Amino acid sequence: MTVQQTQKKSALRSIDTQSKRTSQFQNAHSIRDFTFTIDEPEKLGGSNEALTPMEYITGSLNGCFMIVVEMVAKEKELTIEKLEAASSGDIDHRGLFGTADVSPHFQTVTLEVDVTFEEKEVDEEDFIQLVQKRCPAYNLFKDADVKIEVIWKINKEVQT
């Protein structure tokens, strides 16, 4: 098989999740050998014992982005000294509660990525383009037409 044929071959992977209700507005989930709980705050009827689904989503965005940063850095033979991410998303809860005809998902998301490499000469534009192209979570937001802004700080210089 040629390289070109290998690149065209699908490499789909299934992710299987089992979930069950544990109490009002709370549920437990199993993926591979891991478990986690989703809950809602008390003011929304939950018991506030775990993150909400949307909080997990912002955490997953951070985590996914950081993993892809590490992958691209490794491919580019860059040594990461520091890597941090913070995200914030705005939701109009009227969509979830059915009180207005608005989307129930994030309207906007801001992701801040702070990475310091041992190497001082980094092709920042290429690095940013590769990470944003390859991050599945980032592209889920983008493909859902969520306004997503990524603020990059590479070796202490802010890039948008």
Side-chain angles (χ1 to χ4, degrees):
M1 191 178 287
T2 68
V3 172
Q4 191 174 33
Q5 288 172 323
T6 303
Q7 290 173 343
K8 289 182 180 180
K9 184 180 176 185
S10 176
L12 291 178
R13 174 182 158 236
S14 291
I15 298 174
D16 300 315
T17 305
Q18 291 75 41
S19 305
K20 67 178 181 178
R21 181 180 189 257
T22 53
S23 64
Q24 181 173 305
F25 298 114
Q26 185 183 88
N27 37 71
H29 309 273
S30 299
I31 302 173
R32 295 187 296 133
D33 296 327
F34 302 97
T35 61
F36 64 97
T37 301
I38 289 178
D39 198 0
E40 289 291 334
E42 289 177 1
K43 69 181 180 180
L44 296 180
S47 55
N48 200 39
E49 295 176 358
L51 300 175
T52 69
M54 301 310 278
E55 291 167 338
Y56 271 109
I57 289 172
T58 57
S60 293
L61 173 64
N62 291 5
C64 189
F65 218 86
M66 293 171 76
I67 295 293
V68 178
V69 165
E70 288 196 66
M71 291 172 69
V72 173
K74 184 176 180 181
E75 291 165 12
K76 298 279 188 187
E77 298 180 350
L78 297 170
T79 304
I80 296 174
E81 292 181 344
K82 178 179 99 171
L83 176 57
E84 296 176 357
S87 60
S88 176
D90 296 318
I91 299 175
D92 187 335
H93 282 287
R94 297 175 304 162
L96 173 64
F97 297 129
T99 58
D101 188 21
V102 296
S103 177
H105 64 63
F106 288 108
Q107 306 302 305
T108 62
V109 172
T110 301
L111 172 63
E112 297 179 32
V113 181
D114 185 354
V115 60
T116 302
F117 297 107
E118 182 179 289
E119 299 79 10
K120 299 306 173 201
E121 296 298 318
V122 176
D123 184 345
E124 295 174 9
E125 189 175 314
D126 180 58
F127 188 85
I128 290 169
Q129 186 272 333
L130 286 172
V131 171
Q132 290 182 191
K133 179 180 180 182
R134 292 171 51 184
C135 179
Y138 169 82
N139 283 285
L140 276 173
F141 281 101
K142 190 174 149 200
D143 293 347
D145 290 327
V146 174
K147 182 182 175 205
I148 183 165
E149 176 186 19
V150 182
I151 300 168
W152 285 89
K153 191 187 291 183
I154 299 177
N155 290 346
K156 305 290 185 209
E157 295 176 20
V158 176
Q159 306 285 327
T160 56

